[in-house]
Amino acid sequence: MQRFAAGEADRLLIGLTLAVKLGVLVIGAAAYAWMNGAFDASGAIGVWNRWDAPHYLDLVVFGYRAEDAGNLVGPDGYRSIYPGDLPLYIVFYPLFPWIAAAVNVLVGDPLVSALVVATAASLFVAPLLYRLVRIDEGSGVALRAAWFLLIFPTAYFLHIGYTESLFLALVLGSMLAARTERWWLAGLLGGLAALTRVNGLVLLLALPAEAASQWFDAPRGERHFRAGWLAIGLVAVGFAGYLALNQLVYGDPLTFLQVQREHWFKEAAPPWEAIATAFGWFQAEDLESVILYAGLELGFAALGLAGVIVAAFRLRPALFAWMAGNWILFTSTSFLLSMPRYTLTLFPLMILMGIATRRTWALVAVSLVSLAGFIYFAARFATGVWAF
């Protein structure tokens, strides 16, 4: 594998990110043309505004509200796709819609604003992963890991109005900063990650694991407490900001738990309960439900668990902590849902794939399988069929 300087690798990976993004737009255009018999640029973008994405757009325009009579009208006549549902959107963490709202002041189109934020963040994801992995594994593994992240079967979420690209950029930035002993930057980015998605809290496991590794790696005479480690607490501060939002809007810092339980029917539960529920879908009468809610949910859960086990022996403790903490969080719920999408944030899995594909045939084989999944799932999403 050719060696790259950091700047060269950044340019290559940004180019690959843009190429994949173009592929996503082509899939959207093809989906729109197939459904409507003609091509329309705005429609080709609009096909990505599905499932959770419209909720973020409502937050961009109207913000968090405890009450919604269903008659709100925003700039240029914007109306909620689901009128009256704004009080339910507290389960969506605020950093992504807040940044998109700031962009929307200039752009004047909430969908375009959300895509701008996702696009800008996505350009950092692969280069940050490359830089993090290169420290311990070398440039070859690092480049392959970044490639596998970009073509992961659900990586199209990096390019649409979801939080994946922003979240991964913040988490990778935080862990890279910690690995290079820039602890206050690590804490700041970690706090922003915890204000983006709940699993940002897993950094409270990963960052101390990195600090412990640096402690034990140092010669005995140089092992001492570092004031910068206190910055890890900023992750908790970020989550506290989300709790404060709950308190400010609803009068209860834990409102999100109630809404999650009463509207989305999800609450904390042992992992075996969610796994058992997924196995129950094998009894469904239609094949699509068997494949989606049993096969793929359990398949990606198994892939993540395998990654956790291998990471415990092969990767740095901080990466194992990130994998294990996230996997437990994703499966400790009433039922498995969106495991293929959540697995995208298990980036140490891509590192393991980069290690396992040193031979060209393995690299080609895994790439083809991943790309096939990417195209299939992205096409499903763009045509309005559930795809995580």
Side-chain angles (χ1 to χ4, degrees), residues 282-344:
F282 280 116
Q283 301 177 11
E285 295 182 359
D286 61 299
L287 181 61
E288 184 175 36
S289 293
V290 172
I291 294 173
L292 282 176
Y293 302 117
L296 289 173
E297 294 290 345
L298 288 170
F300 277 84
L303 177 64
L305 179 58
V308 170
I309 295 170
V310 177
F313 298 96
R314 180 60 180 81
L315 298 182
R316 198 167 176 85
L319 298 174
F320 164 71
W322 177 257
M323 283 279 288
N326 273 279
W327 191 88
I328 291 171
L329 180 64
F330 296 157
T331 57
S332 297
T333 183
S334 309
F335 54 91
L336 294 183
L337 186 68
S338 299
M339 279 300 297
R341 174 162 64 93
Y342 295 157
T343 304
L344 178 64

Side-chain angles (χ1 to χ4, degrees), residues 352-369:
L352 295 174
M353 293 167 65
I355 293 171
T357 55
R358 296 180 188 275
R359 295 184 179 275
T360 302
W361 67 265
L363 174 61
V364 172
V366 175
S367 296
L368 289 176
V369 171

Side-chain angles (χ1 to χ4, degrees), residues 140-186:
V141 172
L143 193 61
R144 291 193 295 274
W147 165 244
F148 286 128
L149 179 61
L150 290 176
I151 63 166
F152 194 73
T154 52
Y156 54 93
F157 283 104
L158 295 174
H159 306 287
I160 61 178
Y162 274 64
T163 60
E164 267 68 16
S165 58
L166 177 62
F167 180 70
L168 272 172
L170 291 169
V171 169
L172 287 166
S174 177
M175 295 191 72
L176 176 61
R179 183 69 181 85
T180 53
E181 301 187 49
R182 294 172 291 173
W183 285 99
W184 288 103
L185 178 59

Side-chain angles (χ1 to χ4, degrees), residues 19-287:
V20 173
K21 193 177 301 292
L22 177 60
V24 170
L25 293 175
V26 169
I27 291 172
Y32 183 87
W34 180 77
M35 290 185 294
N36 297 276
F39 173 76
D40 177 80
S42 61
I45 293 176
V47 297
W48 300 107
N49 187 31
R50 303 186 188 279
W51 310 112
D52 288 353
H55 306 330
Y56 285 113
L57 299 194
D58 284 358
L59 291 173
V60 167
V61 177
F62 300 118
Y64 292 90
R65 295 174 182 246
E67 297 180 0
D68 176 9
N71 57 0
L72 295 173
V73 180
D76 299 320
Y78 178 90
R79 292 181 180 272
S80 300
I81 293 180
Y82 305 106
D85 279 2
L86 271 172
L88 304 174
Y89 297 168
I90 188 60
V91 299
F92 299 101
Y93 280 54
L95 187 61
F96 180 80
W98 282 350
I99 296 175
V103 174
N104 195 47
V105 173
L106 301 175
V107 174
D109 185 318
L111 175 57
V112 173
S113 299
L115 293 175
V116 166
V117 175
T119 294
S122 71
L123 298 178
F124 289 91
V125 172
L128 286 171
L129 178 60
Y130 173 85
R131 287 170 179 256
L132 177 64
V133 178
R134 188 184 60 173
I135 296 172
D136 296 308
E137 304 291 346
S139 60
V141 172
L143 193 61
R144 291 193 295 274
W147 165 244
F148 286 128
L149 179 61
L150 290 176
I151 63 166
F152 194 73
T154 52
Y156 54 93
F157 283 104
L158 295 174
H159 306 287
I160 61 178
Y162 274 64
T163 60
E164 267 68 16
S165 58
L166 177 62
F167 180 70
L168 272 172
L170 291 169
V171 169
L172 287 166
S174 177
M175 295 191 72
L176 176 61
R179 183 69 181 85
T180 53
E181 301 187 49
R182 294 172 291 173
W183 285 99
W184 288 103
L185 178 59
L188 174 62
L189 295 176
L192 293 174
L195 201 57
T196 305
R197 287 177 58 163
V198 64
N199 48 325
L201 285 173
V202 180
L203 287 170
L204 290 175
L205 299 176
L207 295 182
E210 179 56 40
S213 293
Q214 293 178 12
W215 168 281
F216 286 110
D217 288 346
R220 284 187 177 274
E222 298 179 18
R223 293 177 182 174
H224 57 271
F225 177 81
R226 303 176 191 180
W229 292 345
L230 296 174
I232 296 173
L234 292 176
V235 177
V237 172
F239 182 69
Y242 174 62
L243 298 181
L245 174 66
N246 279 256
Q247 175 67 39
L248 180 64
V249 177
Y250 300 92
D252 181 351
L254 301 179
T255 298
F256 70 101
L257 293 177
Q258 178 183 348
V259 173
Q260 189 81 13
R261 180 177 61 254
E262 295 179 356
H263 182 73
W264 274 275
F265 309 108
K266 296 197 75 175
E267 57 186 331
W272 51 86
E273 289 190 15
I275 293 171
T277 301
F279 270 105
W281 278 102
F282 280 116
Q283 301 177 11
E285 295 182 359
D286 61 299
L287 181 61

